[in-house]
Amino acid sequence: MRVNSYINGEWVDGTGKPWVTKNPKDGSLVSEGQFLDVVQWVPALAKATEAGVHWGKEIEKNQSQFLMVLMGLIEREFDKWALAERDETGLDTTYLDRVQQKLVSDIKTRMEPIGHAEGFPVGLQLMILPSVGSLECAVHMVMDAVASGNPVVIVPSRRSVGGVYEFIKSLSKIDLPVGLVNFCILDATEREMLIQHPAIRQVVVVGRPETGKALQKLLVGSDKKLIGIHGGKNTSIVLPDANIKAAASHILKGAFTGSGSLGVSISRVLVSQKIFAEFESELTAQMNSQCESDSPSAYLGALANNEIEERLQKVLPELESSEGKKILSWSYKGESSDYSLYRHVSFCSEWQQQFVDAPVLLVNDFKYNHEAVKWANTTPYGLTASVFTEDHEGF
């Protein structure tokens, strides 16, 4: 499939170096094209800013109409977008079906109450997408930005272009101001130049920790806003008075629904020593139940790709050390990395700060509440911490 960029309301073939993406399983060619050159994308920025000003003048009306049309596109055409992404990344079809349902649900939630516009224009937004899960990110981020009155420039990973390309093709057919949405395929040098361009007011990035770190350094001293979901080692804390069955269910979903796609999954669980054995037993039972179901991937998330499989193999010696113990491991049809539970593995290893998309959950115990809080709050790349308790005021 030949993929072009979309700028100023037109499909443009790049004049830069050629690029290709290949099927992760058999190495066959899936997509190809050429990177944009600086003289091609610079003129698009002024048009995009102008389109944003025009769009924002009637943001309440525009928001409502845009969300309705976008929801219709997702319901009718998402399968086409998902097929293109699956061919490039190997993502599981059941997982992509769940993404479609989630996107429709999110739009419905955003539309309530009817007539209220959540418009917070910040100017031209640059969106840098990850190599896996890029379609979900693109749809969600475009929805948030455009519905809030902001023009966008979307820069996909070269390794996952097709699904986003099909989404933009569908979006280009609806009635939007010319230049409001742009899709630019850039090499690393051109992307860096675009990030630093004064027309860009906000950079949104989803990717690995090293990508986020590089962007933070690049934007030091600038007045641009940076929103980064670039790796998260999120922690859950389970207190003695928690509903153990409910906590185990929520933690399993939080740990594995993003594995192999978005690096925002729960990966560490701290459980009070008083209930550790009971919680471990419940967690294992629930995972066993899901693993034996007809469609476990609908619960456990995207299948991990070959790259994650290779990286996981490198850290198995530590996971299987005498210090740690594997509670449960399961592989779906032999096509994915194990979805694994481990206990008493150190939380301080350097690989754990980088390895954000593996289908692995680490479970440790704690004696005192302040110990668990400190552990969670000092976790590098931790985005959030969830506490399971009935005491809503005392913790």
Side-chain angles (χ1 to χ4, degrees):
M1 176 174 62
R2 183 76 180 181
V3 178
N4 297 330
S5 295
Y6 183 69
I7 53 177
N8 280 342
E10 296 182 352
W11 291 100
V12 178
D13 204 359
T15 57
K17 295 180 180 178
W19 58 267
V20 298
T21 61
K22 296 182 178 181
N23 185 294
K25 292 185 176 180
D26 59 19
S28 60
L29 179 67
V30 178
S31 304
E32 62 180 335
Q34 288 179 259
F35 293 117
L36 284 181
D37 192 83
V38 62
V39 297
Q40 294 181 287
W41 59 257
V42 164
L45 302 184
K47 189 69 175 179
T49 301
E50 179 185 333
V53 172
H54 175 73
W55 180 254
K57 288 180 178 178
E58 296 185 89
I59 183 58
E60 186 166 329
K61 181 188 73 173
N62 290 336
Q63 179 196 55
S64 177
Q65 293 178 349
F66 172 70
L67 291 175
M68 286 291 292
V69 172
L70 181 60
M71 184 166 62
L73 286 178
I74 294 172
E75 290 175 333
R76 295 190 307 272
E77 302 187 28
F78 185 85
D79 287 348
K80 178 174 63 177
W81 312 340
L83 181 62
E85 179 164 72
R86 186 199 66 185
D87 289 344
E88 284 184 326
T89 64
L91 284 175
D92 183 70
T93 304
T94 308
Y95 166 77
L96 291 167
D97 289 341
R98 194 182 66 253
V99 168
Q100 180 184 26
Q101 297 166 9
K102 181 177 181 297
L103 289 169
V104 171
S105 175
D106 288 345
I107 291 178
K108 289 179 178 178
T109 300
R110 180 160 190 144
M111 293 172 68
E112 299 175 355
I114 300 298
H116 175 66
E118 298 179 1
F120 304 97
V122 297
L124 183 57
Q125 296 194 19
L126 172 62
M127 300 178 173
I128 301 173
L129 305 179
S131 57
V132 182
S134 57
L135 174 59
E136 179 180 4
C137 289
V139 178
H140 212 291
M141 294 196 300
V142 167
M143 174 188 74
D144 284 342
V146 174
S148 297
N150 299 289
V152 297
V153 177
I154 303 163
V155 178
S157 164
R158 178 185 59 79
R159 296 165 56 190
S160 183
V161 178
V164 183
Y165 170 66
E166 293 294 340
F167 164 57
I168 298 299
K169 280 173 63 177
S170 298
L171 206 61
S172 69
K173 298 174 184 177
I174 68 176
D175 186 19
L176 293 174
V178 173
L180 189 69
V181 177
N182 300 275
F183 173 69
C184 298
I185 306 175
L186 306 171
D187 65 14
T189 301
E190 296 290 332
R191 187 180 71 175
E192 185 172 319
M193 292 173 61
L194 176 57
I195 291 169
Q196 295 176 312
H197 195 283
I200 300 296
R201 305 310 308 149
Q202 179 167 287
V203 179
V204 184
V205 57
V206 179
R208 298 193 182 284
E210 52 268 29
T211 303
K213 280 182 169 181
L215 287 179
Q216 287 174 337
K217 291 180 180 179
L218 196 62
L219 295 177
V220 167
S222 76
D223 60 350
K224 303 178 190 295
K225 296 180 179 180
L226 173 64
I227 297 178
I229 304 177
H230 40 83
K233 303 299 291 183
N234 302 322
T235 303
S236 284
I237 300 173
V238 186
L239 297 184
D241 63 346
N243 182 320
I244 293 178
K245 185 174 182 179
S249 175
H250 287 297
I251 286 170
L252 279 179
K253 292 176 183 176
F256 295 123
T257 53
S259 62
S261 52
L262 306 179
V264 295
S265 299
I266 295 170
S267 55
R268 297 166 172 172
V269 182
L270 294 168
V271 184
S272 170
Q273 290 179 357
K274 297 177 181 178
I275 59 167
F276 186 83
E278 185 179 357
F279 177 83
E280 180 184 78
S281 177
E282 178 64 29
L283 194 70
T284 304
Q286 288 196 28
M287 190 168 177
N288 265 323
S289 175
Q290 292 299 329
C291 292
E292 293 170 359
S293 67
D294 292 334
S295 184
S297 57
Y299 177 86
L300 296 176
L303 297 184
N305 60 23
N306 292 337
E307 178 184 358
I308 296 174
E309 174 75 32
E310 293 172 1
R311 295 172 64 204
L312 182 58
Q313 292 299 320
K314 294 179 181 179
V315 301
L316 280 179
E318 179 178 341
L319 287 172
E320 298 176 350
S321 68
S322 57
E323 179 183 345
K325 176 184 176 183
K326 180 181 289 190
I327 304 173
L328 179 67
S329 180
W330 171 79
S331 184
Y332 178 49
K333 295 182 180 179
E335 297 177 355
S336 70
S337 300
D338 287 342
Y339 293 93
S340 303
L341 305 176
Y342 288 85
R343 74 177 183 189
H344 298 143
V345 175
S346 170
F347 282 3
C348 303
S349 302
E350 182 178 354
W351 68 264
Q352 292 183 33
Q353 314 309 322
Q354 305 293 331
F355 203 45
V356 297
D357 44 14
V360 174
L361 179 62
L362 308 180
V363 185
N364 282 11
D365 60 1
F366 67 88
K367 186 173 183 180
Y368 302 108
N369 289 358
H370 70 269
E371 173 190 11
V373 173
K374 182 178 179 180
W375 217 338
N377 287 343
T378 55
T379 298
Y381 302 113
L383 302 177
T384 61
S386 302
V387 180
F388 294 88
T389 179
E390 293 297 324
D391 183 4
H392 302 293
E393 295 181 359
F395 188 79

